[in-house]
Amino acid sequence: MLASLEKLGLPKQPRNQHSQQSEAANSLANTRASLGQPRLQRTKPIIWCAAVLCFIFSLVLIFFGIATLIFYFAIKPRNPTFDIPNASLNVVYFDSPQYLNGEFTLLANFSNPNRRIGVRFESLTIELFYSDRLISSQTIKPFTQRPRENRLQSVNLISSLVFLPQDVGVKLQRQVESDRVNYNARGTFKVRFNMGLIHLSHWLHTICQIEMTSPPTGILVARQCITNR
């Protein structure tokens, strides 16, 4: 039959054409499979080390937090107290009906009631109010107190040309004439508890109601102080 095809002038097909087509189809299938399924890469050792270090650091933080809470509740630190055992009203006068000048000196007593914990007072501010109006303020330098220690601090509060509404000024003048002047002293300070390697801090706010006699020899008649967080 081949001879007859050659006689007719038709070209003779190669024998391995079918096998070449099969190999091409298999190669194309393998290429598609390799494109559809990306190769898995091994994790680098440095990434494993970083993950282990983060895990250890997290455990240390958790342990330290639990130990701090246990230590805090075991010792139960108490807040320091603020009081005004003495005060003097030296000057109160008006340049005009609405501008106040005055000088008020108070003795502040800071107490640390804790037996085993030292405290540090930071950002201390004492403000003097009359009829809910600020008339003077003074800052105090930070200081540290040992357990069961008291500290007395003199604070001089001066009012210079402080504006007061007319009704408030009249009220103050009447109290001076009646020999009973009422003020409010407010203290704001940040307290830090020193417990070895552990340091805890929060803000405290004190309000003291003060009753004084009239100047120039005004003395403290009564006071009531309340300290809250």
Side-chain angles (χ1 to χ4, degrees):
M1 182 177 181
L2 293 174
S4 60
L5 291 173
E6 291 175 358
K7 291 179 180 181
L8 293 175
L10 296 175
K12 183 170 62 176
Q13 296 180 355
R15 296 180 181 179
N16 59 351
Q17 182 178 5
H18 181 71
S19 62
Q20 291 178 353
Q21 292 177 353
S22 299
E23 292 177 358
N26 293 334
S27 176
L28 181 60
N30 293 333
T31 302
R32 290 177 178 177
S34 62
L35 291 175
Q37 298 179 356
R39 296 180 180 179
L40 297 177
Q41 297 181 356
R42 297 182 60 185
T43 304
K44 296 181 180 180
I46 189 173
I47 297 178
W48 283 108
C49 292
V52 172
L53 290 176
C54 290
F55 179 73
I56 294 174
F57 184 71
S58 300
L59 290 179
V60 171
L61 286 180
I62 294 173
F63 175 79
F64 184 77
I66 294 174
T68 301
L69 288 176
I70 294 174
F71 188 76
Y72 180 84
F73 287 109
I75 296 181
K76 295 181 180 179
R78 299 168 58 188
N79 288 328
T81 58
F82 173 83
D83 191 20
I84 301 176
N86 197 6
S88 61
L89 182 57
N90 304 318
V91 176
V92 172
Y93 71 92
F94 288 84
D95 274 346
S96 65
Q98 293 179 322
Y99 288 93
L100 169 68
N101 297 277
E103 182 181 359
F104 183 93
T105 303
L106 60 85
L107 186 64
N109 181 21
F110 299 91
S111 301
N112 178 16
N114 297 284
R115 297 181 178 179
R116 293 176 291 179
I117 302 175
V119 297
R120 179 169 176 79
F121 289 82
E122 300 175 346
S123 303
L124 296 93
T125 303
I126 306 296
E127 297 175 322
L128 185 65
F129 288 80
Y130 179 80
S131 190
D132 292 329
R133 293 187 175 273
L134 179 65
I135 60 175
S136 185
S137 65
Q138 186 66 265
T139 59
I140 302 177
K141 294 181 180 181
F143 60 89
T144 302
Q145 276 189 317
R146 294 175 295 180
R148 309 290 292 181
E149 183 180 9
N150 295 333
R151 178 187 175 94
L152 295 175
Q153 177 76 43
S154 179
V155 181
N156 192 30
L157 298 162
I158 297 177
S159 303
S160 178
L161 296 177
V162 177
F163 174 79
L164 292 179
Q166 185 175 0
D167 58 335
V168 177
V170 171
K171 178 182 176 181
L172 176 57
Q173 289 177 348
R174 289 177 178 176
Q175 287 189 355
V176 171
E177 293 173 357
S178 64
D179 201 27
R180 286 293 184 271
V181 185
N182 297 318
Y183 290 99
N184 283 332
R186 302 178 186 179
T188 303
F189 38 90
K190 185 178 181 181
V191 176
R192 187 178 66 181
F193 296 91
N194 300 321
M195 299 178 289
L197 298 177
I198 301 175
H199 301 280
L200 302 175
S201 62
H202 57 255
W203 289 90
L204 293 179
H205 306 274
T206 297
I207 299 178
C208 294
Q209 297 179 354
I210 305 171
E211 185 176 354
M212 306 289 299
T213 59
S214 299
T217 58
I219 60 174
L220 180 64
V221 177
R223 95 277 188 184
Q224 183 181 8
C225 295
I226 299 175
T227 301
N228 295 312
R229 292 185 60 175

